[in-house]
Amino acid sequence: MFDPTPALGLERVGTHDYLARNDRGAQLRVSTPGTAGAFAPGELLQLALAACASLSADHTLARRLGSDFLAKVSVYATKVGVDGSAHDDENRYDAIRATIAADMSALSAEESAALVARAQRAIEHLCTVGHTLDSGAVRSIEIVPVGP
């Protein structure tokens, strides 16, 4: 039976245009790369890794830097391998890199290094998205007809 309100899903709202929603009321627009006001699926993949890492390290960083610490996260993906060959023909990313820049100006170099190491351990332990990418999750996509 067709369930119009899944806990997490997408609804087509136009040509190459979908609205993603969860059961907590959040929503965002997903479309093809370059569409104004929308995220492309590849951007969401990159953001998922960056957000997971950031949230995994947040408690560790906040405990030392304060609950209102300043941070910005940059993320990008590449389609070029270490040998310089592109993977465009395979339509996949070769690497995704996230950089968490946190204001540690009040710390000494040694304190900063220790905090970075602790935060990195928290990410390695807690980041589900990273673990999933590292393990090469099995994917399954099913198209189900609805209607008569």
Side-chain angles (χ1 to χ4, degrees):
M1 185 76 182
F2 179 66
D3 179 5
T5 57
L8 180 65
L10 298 162
E11 180 180 349
R12 187 172 192 266
V13 293
T15 304
H16 299 288
D17 201 12
Y18 287 77
L19 192 59
R21 293 186 175 105
N22 67 22
D23 59 357
R24 296 177 311 282
Q27 59 184 25
L28 63 88
R29 194 167 151 225
V30 182
S31 191
T32 54
T35 300
F39 287 98
E43 292 171 328
L44 293 175
L45 176 65
Q46 295 171 61
L47 287 170
L49 178 62
C52 186
S54 300
L55 291 169
S56 295
D58 195 80
H59 178 73
T60 300
L61 294 171
R63 189 173 31 196
R64 184 65 176 92
L65 301 175
S67 62
D68 61 347
F69 75 93
L70 299 176
K72 288 194 177 185
V73 182
S74 302
V75 61
Y76 63 92
T78 59
K79 290 187 176 184
V80 178
V82 292
D83 61 356
S85 61
H87 295 294
D88 288 328
D89 57 327
E90 297 176 23
N91 201 25
R92 68 176 177 91
Y93 295 112
D94 185 61
I96 301 172
R97 178 185 175 121
T99 303
I100 302 168
D103 182 2
M104 298 185 197
S105 59
L107 305 179
S108 70
E110 295 80 22
E111 291 170 325
S112 290
L115 179 56
V116 166
R118 281 194 307 277
Q120 190 65 46
R121 282 193 303 274
I123 292 167
E124 293 303 319
H125 180 69
L126 299 171
C127 184
T128 304
V129 175
H131 296 162
T132 302
L133 290 172
D134 291 344
S135 296
V138 175
R139 64 183 173 98
S140 173
I141 301 167
E142 180 180 7
I143 298 175
V144 179
V146 295

